[in-house]
Amino acid sequence: MSVSIKEVTTKKELKKFVKFNIALYKNHPYHVPGLIDEEMITLSKEKNPAFEVCEAIYFLAYKDNRIVGRIAGIINRKSNETWKQKHARFGFVDFIDDREVVDKLFDAVEDWAKAKGMDTVHGPLGFTDMDHEGMLVEGFDLMGTMAAIYNYPYYPEHMNRMGYVKDSDWHEFKIYIPEKVPDKHLRIGEMVSRKYGLEVIKFKKKKEIWPYAYKIFNALNQAYAPLYGYTELTPKQIDYYVNMYIPMLRMDFITIIVRKSDDAVVGFGITMPNLSRALRKAKGALLPFGVIPLLKTLYSKPKVIDLYLMGVLPEYRNKGINALIFNDLIPRFIQLGVTYAESNPELETNSAIQAQWDYFTREHHKTRRAFIKQL
């Protein structure tokens, strides 16, 4: 039978859209499923505040009366205004290895984009930089992470076949935890702390971080502003992410750097125990039993940690602020017996962020790509 494309219009269809990723990768040894309820909220036009500045459409591909592919088309109006573009994004994309399925999915998004006056399609990207982005092009035999997309090797082959080309790459590193804090980091940390009047802030209880939560995201807005496709998070989006992420963070894995004179956050490091294996056990659902492996891992002595979010205000970049963050976190990681950290995606053009690993043993083990096509 031929392939048919259907727009998602109901909550029931949206759940099928979300669950297709889990079904496609069932029992795959390296895929890390997301949480169904969390992705439902992300895709909900009523619940995700990104729809203040975005519009989206979702398509499912059917063949022989079964779902064989999915794709989202997204237009971030604020991003287009910021970068002076007429771009549509594709994201939340999965498909079987079938040329007709892939072509019809992308035709649907491209036709929608043209009807909306767009001249380019790129992705995979989400609504904001906080969503998953970048198609895996190297590292298919490695376990994925919570913060990144895993996909079959045939995905990028189809992208190339359809005329999509590289727009930008992200690199991921395995960074081995040293036996002690590098001496140079200690010296730099002491120097910048005195020179700029900075202080390391730690938290023991979640209630202690709330006064800094919005300051962290405001610093993130400034730190990430120059990055590929980034647009400033709105106050409602910050509320959304604060309420989503702060409750699940582990306090001893968070370090923020503040300016003593006004208590402004100038740098932050938010890390987490690697939850990949726990998410695989959860299989997309917290209830009834998925929450148990997640909580167990979150408060364990992990061998692997994820560097989830790190940033420094532009005026403090390349001045050694990262040394203060690492000087605080590394002793804790050593104490817990952490073997290595997953950097998660870093733009290949972001030399400043990659330079911070120069004093560590590291391995570039994954690459992911944003593809682009002129319409």
Side-chain angles (χ1 to χ4, degrees), residues 196 222-223 259 264-266 312-319 321:
Y196 301 110
Q222 296 178 61
R259 194 165 48 215
V265 173
V266 304
V312 175
L313 291 186
E315 60 265 38
Y316 289 94
R317 199 166 290 147
N318 299 321
K319 292 183 178 178
I321 307 303

Side-chain angles (χ1 to χ4, degrees), residues 97-259:
D97 190 7
D98 183 301
R99 180 172 182 153
E100 184 183 7
V101 170
V102 180
D103 287 351
K104 286 195 173 183
L105 282 171
F106 278 86
D107 284 348
V109 165
E110 291 170 13
D111 289 345
W112 174 78
K114 284 186 281 190
K116 292 289 183 176
M118 302 297 105
D119 58 22
T120 303
V121 173
H122 69 148
L125 296 166
F127 299 95
T128 76
D129 202 57
M130 301 294 287
D131 296 323
H132 291 165
E133 54 191 11
M135 184 176 289
L136 192 66
V137 295
E138 295 176 356
F140 299 106
D141 59 345
L142 299 167
M143 182 77 74
T145 64
M146 178 180 69
I149 296 168
Y150 183 87
N151 53 263
Y152 286 116
Y154 63 76
Y155 280 38
E157 293 173 4
H158 281 288
M159 300 307 299
N160 294 328
R161 177 185 60 77
M162 290 186 296
Y164 282 82
V165 298
K166 172 185 171 180
D167 195 26
S168 184
D169 274 4
W170 291 264
H171 292 171
E172 295 181 44
F173 297 92
K174 181 185 286 188
I175 303 150
Y176 293 91
I177 306 302
E179 294 181 357
K180 64 174 186 176
V181 179
D183 291 338
K184 187 165 185 176
H185 273 87
L186 291 172
R187 292 196 301 272
I188 292 173
E190 292 173 3
M191 180 184 68
V192 300
S193 181
R194 291 195 306 269
K195 183 175 181 179
Y196 301 110
L198 305 178
E199 181 180 8
V200 175
I201 300 291
K202 297 294 290 183
F203 310 100
K204 292 184 178 180
K205 299 178 181 178
K206 285 187 171 63
K207 67 179 182 180
E208 296 173 353
I209 197 174
W210 286 104
Y212 290 94
Y214 292 88
K215 294 182 181 182
I216 292 170
F217 275 93
N218 286 327
L220 182 147
N221 266 338
Q222 296 178 61
Y224 286 23
L227 301 183
Y228 178 86
Y230 188 79
T231 50
E232 182 178 339
L233 298 176
T234 67
K236 285 186 178 180
Q237 286 175 301
I238 292 176
D239 282 337
Y240 173 75
Y241 289 120
V242 164
N243 290 313
M244 177 183 292
Y245 290 120
I246 295 298
M248 66 182 290
L249 296 178
R250 180 167 161 170
M251 295 300 101
D252 59 334
F253 279 28
I254 302 171
T255 301
I256 66 170
I257 312 300
V258 302
R259 194 165 48 215

Side-chain angles (χ1 to χ4, degrees), residues 269-305:
I270 299 176
T271 64
M272 295 180 67
N274 181 278
L275 297 175
S276 297
R277 296 187 185 281
L279 285 165
R280 284 173 54 78
K281 291 180 181 179
K283 298 179 181 179
L286 284 176
L287 299 175
F289 304 116
V291 69
I292 296 173
L294 285 168
L295 288 175
K296 185 178 179 180
T297 303
L298 187 60
Y299 294 101
S300 68
K301 291 185 176 181
K303 294 299 181 185
V304 183
I305 56 108

